[in-house]
Amino acid sequence: MIEASWIVPSALIPAIMLVLLLYATFSVGAHVPTHEENIDPKLVAQTAPFNNPGLFDRGNGQYDVVMVGQTWSFRPNEIRVPLGARVTFTVTSQDVIHGLRIEKSNVNIMLIPGQVGKATAHFTERGEFLLVCHEYCGVSAIPTLGHQAMYGKVIVE
Amino acid sequence: MATVAVDSLPINDTTRPDVADARTNRITALFLGVAIAAVALGILLGFLQALEHAGIDLYPYLKPIIHSYYQGLTLHGVLNALVWTTFFICGFLLYITVQAYRRPLTHPGLAEITFGLMVVGTVMAAIPMLLDEATVMFTFYPPLLAHWSFYLGLTLVVAGTWLVTLLVSLVHCAWRKEHPDERMPLPGMMSIATLAMWSIASSGIALEMIFFNLPLSLGVIPETSPIIARTLFWLTGHPIVYFWLLPAYISWYTLVPRQVGGKLFSDPMARVSFMLFLVLSSPIGLHHQFTDPGISSTWKLVHAFGTFAVFFPSLLTFFNVVASLENGGRARGGTGWIGWIFKLPWNDPTVTPQILAMLTFVFGGIGGLINASYSMNLVIHNTAWIVGHFHLTVGAAVTLTYMSLSYWVLPRTLGRKLWAPQLAMIQGWLWFFGMIIFSNALHRLGLLDMPRRTAIGMSPYVQEIATPVVQEWRAILPLVAIGGTILTISGVLYILICVMTAFFSRKVTVPNGALLFSEAQADASHAPRALDQWRPWVATAIVLILVAYGPTLLELIGTTSLNVPGRRVW
Ligand SMILES: [Cu+2]
């Protein structure tokens, strides 16, 4: 069969790539966000921990950030941590779907109303890092409002 | 390996009359007409977005019609990704099926009703978009809440595609009765596999519309579940990519080899790849939701495996098509390792853009694997990389192929000569180069964490938080506008050529003759018999979807409630 010379590489290439992917994923322990908890999006302001958004020092360089997304801001929108901080973000949205991406980090997560999400970042570089909403979440007649104005920053000092 | 003389492979059999009757020709041309009208408007709106990224804001001048960047972006996405593709595919696959089975549609009246239904649906979706009542993007993620007419219109378009599946299946059944033991004609088998895959996969979006979006917009249910709606959306949202791609593959497999003077390398391998696409396209959509909380990372990993499985028929296609091109290039006198490439027809508007499309697809495919690679997705999810990626795939590989095909289908169905073929050639090359510049810039911006779906030109953070990375964006953003401008010029040329061909070009009085598809070096005779059955493949596809989505959907239904109110945020 003349096709065999092409069928074999067509099967082998994806198989090898898959093995490499699995190896890379499990050796580094890099995982994507998973199911955590559900929350009533209308009661975000009354439900712990989101009734008290902010940065919390857990000691040993570990920090927690509890963050709420809403049109068109993050609370908190400025996070100041020392170099080397490991920060776990616990996030949700109280209206529509938003996204959270922090420049040069592993944080890339959707803020979905009704869902609690978790993502962790390790800040190993000093400086200011942009934190943006990367899912369309609305328009305003005022240009400094609207989805393109939903952002914050992480300051690593 | 036998080589063939170019002259022995004409595209038409002039000794036999064209099998497509006047009604099939008309319905094909009508579907293409709507597709072309949609992409015309879609391209012009895209131009505004590209300029906006470079800081040139033209939206204030369009105020009475287009109120915001995001309204334009919604129209751009719906018109290009949904209307242009769907209408082109329906027209093209009806035409190919009739030509391949060499018999007219069994129910041409139903085809006309289907077209009417889909036009009504498109208009129903377009009106609220144009009135700024549906600025929700082409993904319309709840709880964003558009006017009910938008959801109902899109649902009717999907329902229309199911009728197209029925129409081609009826042609197959009628043919099968007359030819109980014959192998299905390859282009017909591929058309049906494409539509069958889509009809199964589109159940996700249909469920989302019927149980979530429509009742919410009509006030039947007060609140919704964004995570369930979103999961149903992506059940369809990934396979829709194959719905766009497979018609291009049909051309690459069954038309292009003959057009370049060669033969298809292997007919059985082509059949296998299409049956695998039918089975494997759907159960992999969770890779669009890798960053969603609410869905277990285990199932996300399972879907990542599936994405690599579907890479198998993609590679089969790649090797098969390239071997066929090589066969053509050698038949035209090409020698050596790469000499045959230069002998391919590089100045034929009905072929060359498709070869360029294949090139863009190689890069698009590699990018797609990165997107689907689980943790690697965290680097690029929802960044400009994704925009760059799907402009290479649906915007270049698919669209360039469709553009090139329209230069071939319109003259055949309208009985007119292609207007200004040299200009058509230039149009194809311009689209190719424009897209390379545009998409390369967006891929780089994505790696620098620039978000997608964002009016970046007017964004305060570009000014206020000028981190080193944001400063790098500024250096690259003008390339988006340059690529976009080249694409717009090419798009305008495309529309011009189509309109001139349809209405003003010279009528061809001599009948074209029956369409001849590519012959194969290895023909269907040694293809496994199982490839002539539909039921086992369709059943496997359905079972795999249930396995891949059942547990996740059941868990979501068990843990979430309808507790998120719809919102208009524009
Ligand atoms: Cu947002």
Side-chain angles (χ1 to χ4, degrees), chain B residues 11 47 107 123 126 136 140 159 164 170 193 230 268-269 276 303 347 372 394 451 499 504 516 521 560:
Chain B
I11 197 78
F47 184 43
H107 296 73
V123 171
V136 293
F140 45 84
V164 175
L170 288 169
R230 192 174 156 85
M269 209 160 99
L276 288 178
H303 280 233
N347 58 353
V394 66
V499 170
F504 303 106
L516 288 172
Q521 298 166 61
T560 58

PDB file of all heavy atoms in Angstrom, chain B residues 11 47 107 123 126 136 140 159 164 170 193 230 268-269 276 303 347 372 394 451 499 504 516 521 560:
ATOM      1  N   ILE B  11     -10.657  20.317 -17.246  1.00  0.00           N
ATOM      2  CA  ILE B  11     -11.527  20.407 -16.084  1.00  0.00           C
ATOM      3  C   ILE B  11     -12.973  20.103 -16.474  1.00  0.00           C
ATOM      4  O   ILE B  11     -13.791  19.746 -15.638  1.00  0.00           O
ATOM      5  CB  ILE B  11     -11.384  21.793 -15.412  1.00  0.00           C
ATOM      6  CG1 ILE B  11     -11.931  21.774 -13.990  1.00  0.00           C
ATOM      7  CG2 ILE B  11     -12.013  22.902 -16.225  1.00  0.00           C
ATOM      8  CD1 ILE B  11     -11.025  21.143 -12.998  1.00  0.00           C
ATOM      9  N   PHE B  47     -11.561  47.007   8.357  1.00  0.00           N
ATOM     10  CA  PHE B  47     -10.617  48.083   8.046  1.00  0.00           C
ATOM     11  C   PHE B  47     -10.623  49.126   9.173  1.00  0.00           C
ATOM     12  O   PHE B  47      -9.567  49.567   9.636  1.00  0.00           O
ATOM     13  CB  PHE B  47     -11.019  48.716   6.712  1.00  0.00           C
ATOM     14  CG  PHE B  47     -10.087  49.781   6.214  1.00  0.00           C
ATOM     15  CD1 PHE B  47      -8.706  49.614   6.288  1.00  0.00           C
ATOM     16  CD2 PHE B  47     -10.583  50.951   5.655  1.00  0.00           C
ATOM     17  CE1 PHE B  47      -7.848  50.596   5.812  1.00  0.00           C
ATOM     18  CE2 PHE B  47      -9.728  51.934   5.179  1.00  0.00           C
ATOM     19  CZ  PHE B  47      -8.353  51.769   5.263  1.00  0.00           C
ATOM     20  N   HIS B 107     -35.154  17.511  -4.515  1.00  0.00           N
ATOM     21  CA  HIS B 107     -36.181  18.464  -4.088  1.00  0.00           C
ATOM     22  C   HIS B 107     -35.672  19.893  -4.253  1.00  0.00           C
ATOM     23  O   HIS B 107     -35.374  20.566  -3.254  1.00  0.00           O
ATOM     24  CB  HIS B 107     -36.566  18.227  -2.629  1.00  0.00           C
ATOM     25  CG  HIS B 107     -37.206  16.903  -2.388  1.00  0.00           C
ATOM     26  ND1 HIS B 107     -36.497  15.721  -2.401  1.00  0.00           N
ATOM     27  CD2 HIS B 107     -38.494  16.570  -2.142  1.00  0.00           C
ATOM     28  CE1 HIS B 107     -37.323  14.710  -2.166  1.00  0.00           C
ATOM     29  NE2 HIS B 107     -38.536  15.199  -2.013  1.00  0.00           N
ATOM     30  N   VAL B 123     -31.312  38.327   8.028  1.00  0.00           N
ATOM     31  CA  VAL B 123     -31.861  39.678   8.158  1.00  0.00           C
ATOM     32  C   VAL B 123     -32.329  39.909   9.594  1.00  0.00           C
ATOM     33  O   VAL B 123     -32.081  40.967  10.190  1.00  0.00           O
ATOM     34  CB  VAL B 123     -33.020  39.896   7.153  1.00  0.00           C
ATOM     35  CG1 VAL B 123     -33.749  41.205   7.423  1.00  0.00           C
ATOM     36  CG2 VAL B 123     -32.476  39.871   5.728  1.00  0.00           C
ATOM     37  N   ALA B 126     -29.358  40.585  11.518  1.00  0.00           N
ATOM     38  CA  ALA B 126     -28.628  41.790  11.109  1.00  0.00           C
ATOM     39  C   ALA B 126     -29.290  43.063  11.627  1.00  0.00           C
ATOM     40  O   ALA B 126     -28.601  43.996  12.030  1.00  0.00           O
ATOM     41  CB  ALA B 126     -28.511  41.838   9.589  1.00  0.00           C
ATOM     42  N   VAL B 136     -22.880  42.087  21.101  1.00  0.00           N
ATOM     43  CA  VAL B 136     -22.506  40.987  22.003  1.00  0.00           C
ATOM     44  C   VAL B 136     -21.394  40.109  21.420  1.00  0.00           C
ATOM     45  O   VAL B 136     -21.101  39.052  21.972  1.00  0.00           O
ATOM     46  CB  VAL B 136     -23.740  40.112  22.318  1.00  0.00           C
ATOM     47  CG1 VAL B 136     -24.749  40.890  23.147  1.00  0.00           C
ATOM     48  CG2 VAL B 136     -24.400  39.595  21.041  1.00  0.00           C
ATOM     49  N   PHE B 140     -21.564  35.892  21.535  1.00  0.00           N
ATOM     50  CA  PHE B 140     -22.740  36.255  22.365  1.00  0.00           C
ATOM     51  C   PHE B 140     -22.807  35.533  23.715  1.00  0.00           C
ATOM     52  O   PHE B 140     -23.831  34.940  24.072  1.00  0.00           O
ATOM     53  CB  PHE B 140     -24.045  36.049  21.576  1.00  0.00           C
ATOM     54  CG  PHE B 140     -24.165  34.754  20.791  1.00  0.00           C
ATOM     55  CD1 PHE B 140     -24.599  33.594  21.403  1.00  0.00           C
ATOM     56  CD2 PHE B 140     -23.843  34.704  19.428  1.00  0.00           C
ATOM     57  CE1 PHE B 140     -24.699  32.408  20.694  1.00  0.00           C
ATOM     58  CE2 PHE B 140     -23.943  33.518  18.713  1.00  0.00           C
ATOM     59  CZ  PHE B 140     -24.379  32.365  19.352  1.00  0.00           C
ATOM     60  N   ALA B 159     -30.793  26.164  11.409  1.00  0.00           N
ATOM     61  CA  ALA B 159     -31.826  25.222  10.945  1.00  0.00           C
ATOM     62  C   ALA B 159     -31.741  25.053   9.424  1.00  0.00           C
ATOM     63  O   ALA B 159     -31.926  23.944   8.896  1.00  0.00           O
ATOM     64  CB  ALA B 159     -33.206  25.713  11.358  1.00  0.00           C
ATOM     65  N   VAL B 164     -29.984  21.759   4.370  1.00  0.00           N
ATOM     66  CA  VAL B 164     -28.999  21.487   3.318  1.00  0.00           C
ATOM     67  C   VAL B 164     -28.446  20.067   3.482  1.00  0.00           C
ATOM     68  O   VAL B 164     -28.258  19.336   2.503  1.00  0.00           O
ATOM     69  CB  VAL B 164     -27.873  22.546   3.323  1.00  0.00           C
ATOM     70  CG1 VAL B 164     -26.779  22.192   2.320  1.00  0.00           C
ATOM     71  CG2 VAL B 164     -28.443  23.922   3.008  1.00  0.00           C
ATOM     72  N   LEU B 170     -30.523  13.302   0.471  1.00  0.00           N
ATOM     73  CA  LEU B 170     -31.532  12.772  -0.443  1.00  0.00           C
ATOM     74  C   LEU B 170     -30.922  12.465  -1.816  1.00  0.00           C
ATOM     75  O   LEU B 170     -31.280  11.471  -2.459  1.00  0.00           O
ATOM     76  CB  LEU B 170     -32.696  13.760  -0.578  1.00  0.00           C
ATOM     77  CG  LEU B 170     -33.610  13.858   0.660  1.00  0.00           C
ATOM     78  CD1 LEU B 170     -34.563  15.043   0.539  1.00  0.00           C
ATOM     79  CD2 LEU B 170     -34.391  12.557   0.861  1.00  0.00           C
ATOM     80  N   ALA B 193     -20.190  14.193   4.435  1.00  0.00           N
ATOM     81  CA  ALA B 193     -19.494  14.051   5.718  1.00  0.00           C
ATOM     82  C   ALA B 193     -19.379  15.415   6.410  1.00  0.00           C
ATOM     83  O   ALA B 193     -19.586  15.533   7.621  1.00  0.00           O
ATOM     84  CB  ALA B 193     -18.108  13.446   5.503  1.00  0.00           C
ATOM     85  N   ARG B 230     -22.103  28.742  27.777  1.00  0.00           N
ATOM     86  CA  ARG B 230     -20.787  28.862  27.154  1.00  0.00           C
ATOM     87  C   ARG B 230     -20.233  27.497  26.728  1.00  0.00           C
ATOM     88  O   ARG B 230     -19.608  27.358  25.681  1.00  0.00           O
ATOM     89  CB  ARG B 230     -19.894  29.485  28.217  1.00  0.00           C
ATOM     90  CG  ARG B 230     -18.580  29.985  27.812  1.00  0.00           C
ATOM     91  CD  ARG B 230     -18.009  30.678  29.062  1.00  0.00           C
ATOM     92  NE  ARG B 230     -16.575  30.719  28.997  1.00  0.00           N
ATOM     93  CZ  ARG B 230     -15.895  31.673  28.354  1.00  0.00           C
ATOM     94  NH1 ARG B 230     -16.534  32.631  27.745  1.00  0.00           N
ATOM     95  NH2 ARG B 230     -14.575  31.658  28.337  1.00  0.00           N
ATOM     96  N   PRO B 268      -8.470   6.526  -1.125  1.00  0.00           N
ATOM     97  CA  PRO B 268      -8.874   5.940   0.160  1.00  0.00           C
ATOM     98  C   PRO B 268      -8.405   6.752   1.370  1.00  0.00           C
ATOM     99  O   PRO B 268      -9.139   6.920   2.344  1.00  0.00           O
ATOM    100  CB  PRO B 268      -8.204   4.562   0.155  1.00  0.00           C
ATOM    101  CG  PRO B 268      -7.962   4.267  -1.274  1.00  0.00           C
ATOM    102  CD  PRO B 268      -7.707   5.569  -1.951  1.00  0.00           C
ATOM    103  N   MET B 269      -7.192   7.283   1.296  1.00  0.00           N
ATOM    104  CA  MET B 269      -6.673   8.066   2.414  1.00  0.00           C
ATOM    105  C   MET B 269      -7.525   9.321   2.606  1.00  0.00           C
ATOM    106  O   MET B 269      -7.748   9.771   3.741  1.00  0.00           O
ATOM    107  CB  MET B 269      -5.216   8.446   2.122  1.00  0.00           C
ATOM    108  CG  MET B 269      -4.345   8.613   3.334  1.00  0.00           C
ATOM    109  SD  MET B 269      -2.598   8.472   2.888  1.00  0.00           S
ATOM    110  CE  MET B 269      -2.121  10.190   2.776  1.00  0.00           C
ATOM    111  N   LEU B 276     -12.800  10.476   9.639  1.00  0.00           N
ATOM    112  CA  LEU B 276     -12.231  10.799  10.951  1.00  0.00           C
ATOM    113  C   LEU B 276     -12.606  12.220  11.380  1.00  0.00           C
ATOM    114  O   LEU B 276     -12.849  12.477  12.562  1.00  0.00           O
ATOM    115  CB  LEU B 276     -10.713  10.618  10.937  1.00  0.00           C
ATOM    116  CG  LEU B 276     -10.241   9.169  10.883  1.00  0.00           C
ATOM    117  CD1 LEU B 276      -8.715   9.101  10.813  1.00  0.00           C
ATOM    118  CD2 LEU B 276     -10.728   8.384  12.097  1.00  0.00           C
ATOM    119  N   HIS B 303      -9.898  16.555  26.539  1.00  0.00           N
ATOM    120  CA  HIS B 303     -10.153  17.234  25.269  1.00  0.00           C
ATOM    121  C   HIS B 303      -8.851  17.625  24.570  1.00  0.00           C
ATOM    122  O   HIS B 303      -8.794  17.666  23.342  1.00  0.00           O
ATOM    123  CB  HIS B 303     -11.033  18.464  25.495  1.00  0.00           C
ATOM    124  CG  HIS B 303     -12.496  18.124  25.625  1.00  0.00           C
ATOM    125  ND1 HIS B 303     -13.463  18.723  24.853  1.00  0.00           N
ATOM    126  CD2 HIS B 303     -13.139  17.237  26.417  1.00  0.00           C
ATOM    127  CE1 HIS B 303     -14.642  18.216  25.187  1.00  0.00           C
ATOM    128  NE2 HIS B 303     -14.469  17.324  26.129  1.00  0.00           N
ATOM    129  N   ASN B 347      -0.160  31.656 -11.681  1.00  0.00           N
ATOM    130  CA  ASN B 347      -0.880  32.842 -12.175  1.00  0.00           C
ATOM    131  C   ASN B 347      -2.290  32.505 -12.642  1.00  0.00           C
ATOM    132  O   ASN B 347      -2.802  33.085 -13.586  1.00  0.00           O
ATOM    133  CB  ASN B 347      -0.092  33.502 -13.306  1.00  0.00           C
ATOM    134  CG  ASN B 347       0.129  32.520 -14.440  1.00  0.00           C
ATOM    135  OD1 ASN B 347      -0.195  31.331 -14.301  1.00  0.00           O
ATOM    136  ND2 ASN B 347       0.649  32.991 -15.556  1.00  0.00           N
ATOM    137  N   ALA B 372      -4.233  24.523  21.651  1.00  0.00           N
ATOM    138  CA  ALA B 372      -4.884  23.359  22.240  1.00  0.00           C
ATOM    139  C   ALA B 372      -4.000  22.652  23.251  1.00  0.00           C
ATOM    140  O   ALA B 372      -4.414  21.688  23.871  1.00  0.00           O
ATOM    141  CB  ALA B 372      -5.295  22.391  21.135  1.00  0.00           C
ATOM    142  N   VAL B 394      -9.315  30.835   9.285  1.00  0.00           N
ATOM    143  CA  VAL B 394     -10.560  31.140   8.570  1.00  0.00           C
ATOM    144  C   VAL B 394     -10.381  32.353   7.664  1.00  0.00           C
ATOM    145  O   VAL B 394     -10.958  32.425   6.574  1.00  0.00           O
ATOM    146  CB  VAL B 394     -11.758  31.305   9.535  1.00  0.00           C
ATOM    147  CG1 VAL B 394     -11.606  32.496  10.431  1.00  0.00           C
ATOM    148  CG2 VAL B 394     -13.057  31.428   8.764  1.00  0.00           C
ATOM    149  N   PRO B 451      -4.505  42.206  24.905  1.00  0.00           N
ATOM    150  CA  PRO B 451      -5.788  41.502  24.885  1.00  0.00           C
ATOM    151  C   PRO B 451      -6.480  41.625  23.530  1.00  0.00           C
ATOM    152  O   PRO B 451      -6.277  42.590  22.804  1.00  0.00           O
ATOM    153  CB  PRO B 451      -6.600  42.215  25.965  1.00  0.00           C
ATOM    154  CG  PRO B 451      -5.998  43.571  26.063  1.00  0.00           C
ATOM    155  CD  PRO B 451      -4.544  43.405  25.749  1.00  0.00           C
ATOM    156  N   VAL B 499     -18.849  41.207  -8.732  1.00  0.00           N
ATOM    157  CA  VAL B 499     -20.003  41.951  -9.262  1.00  0.00           C
ATOM    158  C   VAL B 499     -19.889  42.066 -10.778  1.00  0.00           C
ATOM    159  O   VAL B 499     -20.858  41.833 -11.511  1.00  0.00           O
ATOM    160  CB  VAL B 499     -20.086  43.346  -8.590  1.00  0.00           C
ATOM    161  CG1 VAL B 499     -21.108  44.226  -9.301  1.00  0.00           C
ATOM    162  CG2 VAL B 499     -20.434  43.190  -7.122  1.00  0.00           C
ATOM    163  N   PHE B 504     -21.854  41.960 -15.601  1.00  0.00           N
ATOM    164  CA  PHE B 504     -21.415  42.696 -16.780  1.00  0.00           C
ATOM    165  C   PHE B 504     -20.468  41.925 -17.689  1.00  0.00           C
ATOM    166  O   PHE B 504     -20.164  42.380 -18.776  1.00  0.00           O
ATOM    167  CB  PHE B 504     -20.740  44.010 -16.349  1.00  0.00           C
ATOM    168  CG  PHE B 504     -21.635  44.869 -15.505  1.00  0.00           C
ATOM    169  CD1 PHE B 504     -21.436  44.986 -14.135  1.00  0.00           C
ATOM    170  CD2 PHE B 504     -22.713  45.543 -16.086  1.00  0.00           C
ATOM    171  CE1 PHE B 504     -22.274  45.766 -13.358  1.00  0.00           C
ATOM    172  CE2 PHE B 504     -23.555  46.327 -15.312  1.00  0.00           C
ATOM    173  CZ  PHE B 504     -23.339  46.435 -13.941  1.00  0.00           C
ATOM    174  N   LEU B 516     -15.411  17.709 -14.323  1.00  0.00           N
ATOM    175  CA  LEU B 516     -14.593  16.536 -14.049  1.00  0.00           C
ATOM    176  C   LEU B 516     -13.777  16.783 -12.796  1.00  0.00           C
ATOM    177  O   LEU B 516     -13.105  17.791 -12.672  1.00  0.00           O
ATOM    178  CB  LEU B 516     -13.654  16.254 -15.224  1.00  0.00           C
ATOM    179  CG  LEU B 516     -14.334  15.698 -16.473  1.00  0.00           C
ATOM    180  CD1 LEU B 516     -13.338  15.655 -17.614  1.00  0.00           C
ATOM    181  CD2 LEU B 516     -14.883  14.312 -16.205  1.00  0.00           C
ATOM    182  N   GLN B 521      -4.304   8.581  -8.119  1.00  0.00           N
ATOM    183  CA  GLN B 521      -3.272   7.595  -8.441  1.00  0.00           C
ATOM    184  C   GLN B 521      -3.631   6.265  -7.799  1.00  0.00           C
ATOM    185  O   GLN B 521      -3.514   5.222  -8.416  1.00  0.00           O
ATOM    186  CB  GLN B 521      -1.909   8.074  -7.924  1.00  0.00           C
ATOM    187  CG  GLN B 521      -1.453   9.378  -8.554  1.00  0.00           C
ATOM    188  CD  GLN B 521      -0.295   9.981  -7.787  1.00  0.00           C
ATOM    189  OE1 GLN B 521       0.763   9.358  -7.682  1.00  0.00           O
ATOM    190  NE2 GLN B 521      -0.472  11.177  -7.274  1.00  0.00           N
ATOM    191  N   THR B 560     -24.829  24.208  39.176  1.00  0.00           N
ATOM    192  CA  THR B 560     -25.142  25.623  38.955  1.00  0.00           C
ATOM    193  C   THR B 560     -26.648  25.771  38.816  1.00  0.00           C
ATOM    194  O   THR B 560     -27.354  24.819  38.502  1.00  0.00           O
ATOM    195  CB  THR B 560     -24.497  26.176  37.668  1.00  0.00           C
ATOM    196  OG1 THR B 560     -24.938  25.398  36.570  1.00  0.00           O
ATOM    197  CG2 THR B 560     -23.006  26.146  37.730  1.00  0.00           C
TER     198      THR B 560
END
